[in-house]
Amino acid sequence: MTRNKQIRAVLLAALMVFSVFAGSIAFTGSAAAADGDFRYRGGAVHYVDGGNAVIEVPFSHNVDSASLTTDNFTVADDGDELASSAYSVGQTTNGTVVISVNNVIRSNDITVELSDDIVSGEDGSTLTNDGEKDVFFAAQTFSESATTESAYVGEKLAINASTSGVNTDVTVEGTEDATDDYFVQRSTGENSTVYVLDTSGLETGTYDITVAGSTTINLTVRSLNFAVDIDDLNVTTDDDVSGTVSARDSSRPVRVELVDSSDDTYATQNVSLDGQGEADFDFDVAETDADDYTVVATDLNTGITLESDTITVEKAGDGRADFSESVITDQRGDVVAIPVTLENTDTATVTIGSDDEGYSANVTVEDGNDDGEVVVLWNSYESNDTSVSQVFDVEDDDDEILTGSDGATGVGLATSNLIDAGDYDLSVEPGASVGDGQNVATLVLEEGGVSAVRTWTAPSGETLGDLDDVTEALENGNITEDSQIAFGDQVIVQIEASGLEGAVGAQDDETPNFFAAGNGYNDAYRLTINQTNPDPNRDPKIINVSNASVIADGDNDTYFVAFDSDQITAYRDTDDDGEVLDQSESDITPIDDDDAFDVQFEMVEEDDVSGLALVDEDSTATDSYEHVEAEHTLSDPINVTNAADQMISGSSNVAPGTELTLRVESDGDTQPRFLKTATVYVQANGSLSGSFDFSEQSVGDTFTVTARGGVAPNEEVDGNVVESVDSSTTTAEDTTTTADTTTTADTTTTTAATTTTAATTTADETTTTSSQTPGFGVVVALVALVAAALLAVRRDN
């Protein structure tokens, strides 16, 4: 009796029986026994609380308890019988036999085999409708008290009317335009409290499910949008067949099968859709035959099955790996780029050096984006390190260094100091193991050193955050080489030095930690900027460059150290009393506008380095610059004629590319009043000019011209409108040639009239806005070419 009570509790949550009608399945009698004592009517599977499942096998009479054994009820999934320990058999008080299954079986290929040994509990008659019976899977169960539910087209839904009892009427009716022509009236069937609705024949929309004529469930049926996408329809046996299944719902179980052209299943995977409604799959086809395949995906809740486009799998040829260059040349201490090509393989193992050469390392790399190339980055500065992550990297983030069981990666023999200059063997072979090498090349490591130091300037407001900013400023003429730099503008020290890239971490155009002592700064290399014109009885100023920013172009062995001259500080070696101080205690002092400096960059030889030396002998380059007081200069006075295209010109010693405003405003008793402005840029030769329209003004009018902007104070001069002026200084054409610039002007005029009893006075105010494009003209073009050429300097390979 206890057993039957337990089974009844499970049945209240999930009992169901099937009989298929138009758009629905109801439990009705079938396959009557010859003596009419009892009938087998079908069954259903559904998961309940705790993940259990039941298969309902209703009879018209109680079955003898001795017949309720797993020997008489055999359950199979797609022909594979479940172990007898995986389920148990019981009976409810209304005569329904239920099979309790330990785990949910999400399949539409479930069968139950009934033995002919089953006998009735009332008269002992035997079952005559024995044999194999199909069982359907229902994805959801709704109680008759539910009010609002949803489902996806294709799901079978169990409506449990356990409160109303057996043979309960169930009506399903469409409620909107898309579904209002749908109507069925069914029942749960004899000795059953479960009605099963098959939504595979329904349109999307809403339906009312009325149970026992009183309770109504509002059901919304939606499209699942089940889809399967293949990453690559043409692969080799060295690749995988991979893709993604997706749907509108998450956490759904999906079976994915790889099927050949003969409809034979090669492999099967079960996946679950993630929180985004997606799941990836991947089939290893290394052992397959060359053939056409498809991926068949089945949503196990609905039984919806999709077939992908045809995937062509071809036998892969022999894997090959080679170097793009037979001789790779770089400087010791730099990050060496070693380009490897791959064919018919995604992996290759590169060997650098040998035991005989005093250094050996292996790295296995994977071509992650199938472009047939991996550029291996070997940091020669880390030749004394055995950490793979310190020594090796790849240029493309899609590629990967393989370690452990995936690859033969490691440093077999490291150096005690920086690796020596010389020739080293390179070998490469496909796969993830070290061998004799399918192909070879030579790595030539040269001695590094400093080749040049140059000083440049840029406007104080110029953004120099990365190498792209520097490159653009050079191309536009907004960074120019100069030995006289207006105080307040940016100072840019360009260092050209090979063998420094690995120490400062300058690969991939990153801004390195250039001034870190741990990288060798002030030991293996150093930058000093010392004053050459100190005040009487004072030590020279030493600029604290550690506060400067560094933009690295490691591929070209070039480094730009930039700082605002009026925002950086300096120190002296002694205080006012002459006491020697170290830098941490030093006499901090600002930079002034008349200070002059020597700039030196040095790479230090091994004997003078406490850590890892980058060069065998000292290597140094120097340059110098001085600060000048920033100023704009305009002719005084400025004369123009009452005509259009009148050029007002001047000069400035602030950095070329600096944006200035020329403001022309009437003064004195000039009537009508006017105001004209022009935006101009300081050119490479220091000139500036803007074009103005004076055609509305009269001879004798006076005005004031103000140049403002940049780090210089405003410059103001007087101007006059005259009958004629020297054309070489006043006409737009001549001045444009002198200033190497092109200007345009837009003028708007507003006239206001004021009337009195004595007289009428008309005051006109004219505002002219003129813009000037920086970086054009013969001189500027030449400077830009020089700058571009400087940036393009590369190491010989």
Side-chain angles (χ1 to χ4, degrees), residues 356-577:
D356 292 339
E357 294 169 335
Y359 179 83
S360 66
N362 304 300
V363 60
T364 299
V365 293
E366 182 177 39
D367 179 11
N369 56 5
D370 294 327
D371 64 353
E373 182 181 56
V374 177
V375 177
V376 178
L377 301 176
W378 173 62
N379 190 344
S380 64
Y381 178 72
E382 302 290 350
S383 63
N384 64 338
D385 200 323
T386 58
S387 171
V388 171
S389 61
Q390 290 292 107
V391 176
F392 289 110
D393 200 355
V394 287
E395 188 173 73
D396 193 324
D397 291 339
D398 290 333
D399 300 331
E400 186 179 358
I401 300 288
L402 301 180
T403 59
S405 59
D406 292 327
T409 299
V411 178
L413 181 61
T415 60
S416 57
N417 295 305
L418 182 66
I419 192 169
D420 289 338
D423 295 355
Y424 293 87
D425 292 336
L426 291 176
S427 65
V428 64
E429 60 185 87
S433 60
V434 178
D436 295 334
Q438 188 179 76
N439 287 289
V440 297
T442 299
L443 171 62
V444 178
L445 286 182
E446 300 174 338
E447 186 70 22
V450 186
S451 56
V453 169
R454 296 182 174 89
T455 55
W456 302 66
T457 188
S460 61
E462 186 76 18
T463 300
L464 301 176
D466 54 29
L467 186 58
D468 288 340
D469 290 339
V470 172
T471 302
E472 183 178 358
L474 284 166
E475 291 173 348
N476 292 340
N478 288 353
I479 292 179
T480 53
E481 191 169 3
D482 205 341
S483 60
Q484 291 189 323
I485 299 175
F487 183 66
D489 279 333
Q490 293 188 69
V491 178
I492 301 169
V493 176
Q494 180 189 11
I495 301 167
E496 296 177 29
S498 60
L500 192 62
E501 184 181 7
V504 302
Q507 64 194 62
D508 296 333
D509 299 333
E510 297 171 358
T511 299
N513 193 357
F514 189 90
F515 298 111
N519 292 339
Y521 183 69
N522 272 338
D523 185 24
Y525 64 94
R526 59 181 68 115
L527 172 65
T528 55
I529 305 178
N530 297 334
Q531 187 183 13
T532 59
N533 61 340
D535 293 334
N537 302 309
R538 297 302 301 271
D539 285 340
K541 299 175 183 179
I542 303 172
I543 291 182
N544 182 15
V545 289
S546 63
N547 294 326
S549 61
V550 178
I551 299 93
D553 182 10
D555 288 343
N556 294 306
D557 295 328
T558 301
Y559 306 87
F560 297 92
V561 182
F563 54 89
D564 280 313
S565 55
D566 61 346
Q567 296 181 14
I568 201 163
T569 58
Y571 63 94
R572 292 188 174 94
D573 286 336
T574 61
D575 60 17
D576 291 343
D577 296 327

Side-chain angles (χ1 to χ4, degrees), residues 550-612:
V550 178
I551 299 93
D553 182 10
D555 288 343
N556 294 306
D557 295 328
T558 301
Y559 306 87
F560 297 92
V561 182
F563 54 89
D564 280 313
S565 55
D566 61 346
Q567 296 181 14
I568 201 163
T569 58
Y571 63 94
R572 292 188 174 94
D573 286 336
T574 61
D575 60 17
D576 291 343
D577 296 327
E579 182 179 351
V580 177
L581 302 172
D582 61 32
Q583 185 172 344
S584 62
E585 303 174 324
S586 60
D587 181 13
I588 303 299
T589 183
I591 310 299
D592 294 319
D593 60 11
D594 60 351
D595 291 344
F597 295 91
D598 272 346
V599 182
Q600 176 178 283
F601 185 77
E602 179 182 15
M603 297 174 72
V604 185
E605 66 182 16
E606 185 173 355
D607 292 342
D608 297 329
V609 173
S610 61
L612 200 65

Side-chain angles (χ1 to χ4, degrees), residues 235-239 286 290 313-321 342-347 430-431 438:
V235 298
T236 72
T237 50
D238 278 344
D239 305 319
V313 178
E314 296 180 348
K315 283 292 183 182
D318 294 335
R320 291 191 58 80
L342 301 92
E343 184 178 350
N344 296 325
T345 182
D346 289 332
T347 59
Q438 188 179 76

